[in-house]
């Protein structure tokens, strides 16, 4: 979970990159050194299809940019030059170029970036357009893969920042794969649309500029029943993430999680060496902090929570998660390994918090397989970052729609976001009632039922880099959405009395903040009709 833009809101013990991904990274590294580089053309050889991907001409040849952009000699990732661009209040400083590709062919996009909210992606692929982003002061690599459609002959690669944020840098951008049959020139009217979502790896998000209102209808339809199986949860549920690590928040045994929480998401499952497969191990350092905490203790705590009417799910991903489910084999691996953990520990389901990208087709396939194994009590929750649910064309929104028949709740992280457009097309700043309610409106208008939508906020100002709100703001947002009262300047176009609830990162930070969230939001939520 990218629950913060500053440490130490959360960390992961370890992360094992799947073998296939590691091999892809090696290939990208070779491409980045300049081996077999060429810019499109009739050749079908595999190489970097981008012209001047390292900006080593000392200029922007090959790229078409908006706003303030130039090739600079410092800071650079490698070589003598890199791109530096500064977004404006109404411009993302988008740089792009269009290249020739082959249909029904796999490509890998990679680049090194630094600065606040840098996005790297491709559009016009004929399939799921890839996109990834990061917000780090040092150079870090973004990478994603995609397969072109049957009629696709060109794709447009772009890199951009975010409205009103500081300057970003980009260097060593590569699109590897076979070239097409022509050499397109850069577009004369570059798009400024942010088409990505959260991630430090492939993901997607807004396909339109923040001054365009998100789509009001889903772009895909779920199969099966429209109402998820019964999970035994109350009509309005409070969700909290329990940290299986110590990052400065109050350490807890699972039994210590505040009684107001109806759904407890155990954070996090780990990747394994098998693509798509996950594992889970109690953190030995945490056990030491608690004076000893064994698997038997943990299982007993889950059983005790069950006896109290609670549900416990295993959260998959987090800010540093590297679990990729992007083909049939990895989908099977995910479902089988998750089911084994559910049987081993007694989890009720899974929470999807993959901030390094999701494949909405194969992951949905895997989740349906998992649900069929678990049965009608299966609980499926999600916690995408705000930008991942900005548009129905985004991969995370697509995943939610593709699993709508088994989905319990999407608790979007309404923080670490800056200002974003609501469903009315107006910009609202994070940390306000208007931001929360206008984003929830987008989710419901996009095709999710109100009972599948929740509010995600940090439990304290220390739990996130921005967007913290106190419990009164959360309660006002719930009232606004359910009853049309206590709204800010934005008033939803309808009342949604079945709005599912609220979520926080984390139960540990809640405890460190005097239990403000669970005490006040929990009581308010459970009193709602």
């Amino acid at each position: 979970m990218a629950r913060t833009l500053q440490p130490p809101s959360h960390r992961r013990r370890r992360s094992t990159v799947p073998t296939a991904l590691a091999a892809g990274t090696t290939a990208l590294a070779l491409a980045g050194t300049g081996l077999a580089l060429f810019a499109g053309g009739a050749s079908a050889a595999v190489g970097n299809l981008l012209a001047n991907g390292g900006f080593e001409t000392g200029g922007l040849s090959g790229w078409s940019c908006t706003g303030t952009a130039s090739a600079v000699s410092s800071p650079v990732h490698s070589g003598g030059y890199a791109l530096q661009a500064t977004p404006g209040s109404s411009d993302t400083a988008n740089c792009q170029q269009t290249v020739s590709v082959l249909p029904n062919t796999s490509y890998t996009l990679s680049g090194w970036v630094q600065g606040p909210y840098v996005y790297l992606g491709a559009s016009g692929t004929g399939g799921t357009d890839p996109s990834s982003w990061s917000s780090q002061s040092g150079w870090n690599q973004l990478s994603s893969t995609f397969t072109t459609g049957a009629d696709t002959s060109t794709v447009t690669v772009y890199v951009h920042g975010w409205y009103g944020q500081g300057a970003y840098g980009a260097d060593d951008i590569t699109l590897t794969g076979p070239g097409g049959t022509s050499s397109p020139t850069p577009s004369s009217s570059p798009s400024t649309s942010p088409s990505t979502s959260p991630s430090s790896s492939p993901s997607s998000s807004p396909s339109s500029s923040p001054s365009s209102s998100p789509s009001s209808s889903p772009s895909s339809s779920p199969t099966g029943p429209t109402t998820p199986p019964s999970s035994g949860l109350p009509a309005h549920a409070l969700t909290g993430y329990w940290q299986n690590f110590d990052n400065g928040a109050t350490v807890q045994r699972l039994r210590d999680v505040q009684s107001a929480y109806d759904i407890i998401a155990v954070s996090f499952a780990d990747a394994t060496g098998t693509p798509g497969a996950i594992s889970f191990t109690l953190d030995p350092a945490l056990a030491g902090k608690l004076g000893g905490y064994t698997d038997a203790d943990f299982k007993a705590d889950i059983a005790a929570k069950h006896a109290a009417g609670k549900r416990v799910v295993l959260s998959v991903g987090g800010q540093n998660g590297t679990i990729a489910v992007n083909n049939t084999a990895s989908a099977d691996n995910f479902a089988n390994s998750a089911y084994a953990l559910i049987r081993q520990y007694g989890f009720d389901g899974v929470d999807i918090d993959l901030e390094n990208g999701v494949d909405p087709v194969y992951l949905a396939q895997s989740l349906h397989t998992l649900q069929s194994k678990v049965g009608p009590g299966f609980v499926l929750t999600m916690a995408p970052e705000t930008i991942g649910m900005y548009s129905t064309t985004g991969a995370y929104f697509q995943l939610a729609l593709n699993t709508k028949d088994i989905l319990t709740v999407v608790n979007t992280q309404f923080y670490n976001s800056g200002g974003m457009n609501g469903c009315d097309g107006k910009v609202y700043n994070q940390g306000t009632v208007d931001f929360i309610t206008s984003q929830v409106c987008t989710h419901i208008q996009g095709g999710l039922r109100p009972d599948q939508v929740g509010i995600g906020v940090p439990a304290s100002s220390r739990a996130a880099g921005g967007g913290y709100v106190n419990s009164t703001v959360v309660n006002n947002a719930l009232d606004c959405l359910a009853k049309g009262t206590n709204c800010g300047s934005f008033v939803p176009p309808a009342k949604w009395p079945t709005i599912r609830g609220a979520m926080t990162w984390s139960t540990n930070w809640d405890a460190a903040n005097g239990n403000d969230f669970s005490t006040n939001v929990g009581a308010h939520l459970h009193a709602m009709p």
Side-chain angles (χ1 to χ4, degrees), residues 230-458:
S230 172
S231 60
L233 288 166
H236 304 289
L238 194 72
T239 301
Y241 284 77
W242 175 79
Q243 298 177 185
N244 181 36
F245 48 82
D246 174 24
N247 65 352
T250 302
V251 294
Q252 297 176 315
R253 292 174 175 82
L254 197 71
R255 76 190 74 157
D256 300 326
V257 170
Q258 300 87 329
S259 61
Y261 289 104
D262 303 295
I263 302 175
I264 303 166
V266 171
S267 312
F268 294 99
D270 292 303
T272 73
T274 302
I278 60 173
S279 65
F280 175 77
T281 307
L282 284 173
D283 188 348
L286 176 66
K289 280 265 188 177
L290 294 170
Y293 193 42
T294 66
D295 263 15
D297 295 329
F298 182 66
K299 293 174 184 177
D301 286 355
I302 292 178
K305 286 297 181 182
H306 286 162
K310 313 302 181 182
R311 297 294 178 266
V312 183
V313 297
L314 179 60
S315 185
V316 179
Q319 181 177 11
N320 301 324
T322 55
I323 299 160
V325 179
N326 50 22
N327 54 42
T328 299
S330 59
D332 289 341
N333 292 338
F334 179 87
N336 293 334
S337 60
Y339 184 56
L341 292 171
I342 287 172
R343 289 175 57 86
Q344 179 181 354
Y345 289 98
F347 294 120
D348 297 282
V350 293
D351 168 73
I352 303 300
D353 180 25
L354 289 169
E355 296 170 14
N356 290 310
V358 295
D359 185 309
V361 175
Y362 286 106
L363 185 52
Q365 170 188 314
S366 184
L367 291 169
H368 278 97
T369 300
L370 180 59
Q371 187 276 333
S372 67
K373 291 174 178 286
V374 175
F378 180 69
V379 175
L380 173 60
T381 65
M382 298 182 186
E385 292 163 303
T386 310
I387 201 168
M389 294 292 291
Y390 187 82
S391 166
T392 56
T393 61
Y396 229 119
F397 212 135
Q398 285 292 299
L399 175 64
L401 292 172
N402 290 347
T403 56
K404 184 177 176 180
D405 56 316
I406 59 172
L407 178 63
T408 305
V409 62
V410 175
N411 293 301
T412 300
Q413 303 174 38
F414 293 134
Y415 48 98
N416 292 343
S417 305
M420 295 186 72
N421 291 90
C423 65
D424 58 353
K426 297 180 181 178
V427 176
Y428 298 100
N429 292 323
Q430 67 177 6
T432 64
V433 168
D434 288 335
F435 182 86
I436 295 171
T437 55
S438 64
Q439 293 300 315
V440 168
C441 173
T442 296
H443 304 350
I444 295 173
Q445 286 189 343
L448 295 178
R449 299 193 313 271
D451 65 280
Q452 292 178 313
V453 180
I455 295 169
V457 296

Side-chain angles (χ1 to χ4, degrees), residues 146-179:
F146 63 91
T147 300
T148 53
D151 300 318
T152 301
S153 59
T154 64
V155 298
T156 298
V157 171
Y158 62 84
V159 59
H160 65 73
W162 192 255
Y163 299 90
Q165 301 296 317
Y168 72 87
D171 202 358
D172 299 325
I173 302 177
T174 62
L175 179 66
T176 55

Side-chain angles (χ1 to χ4, degrees), residues 89-136:
S89 60
S90 59
D91 178 78
T92 61
N94 183 81
C95 289
Q96 68 181 45
Q97 66 174 274
T98 302
V99 298
S100 176
V101 294
L102 296 176
N104 297 319
T105 304
S106 178
Y107 292 86
T108 300
L109 175 64
S110 177
W112 289 84
V113 300
Q114 69 170 15
Y117 300 103
V118 194
Y119 299 79
L120 177 67
S123 61
T125 65
T128 300
D129 288 344
S131 185
S132 55
W133 73 279
S134 70
S135 185
Q136 300 182 28

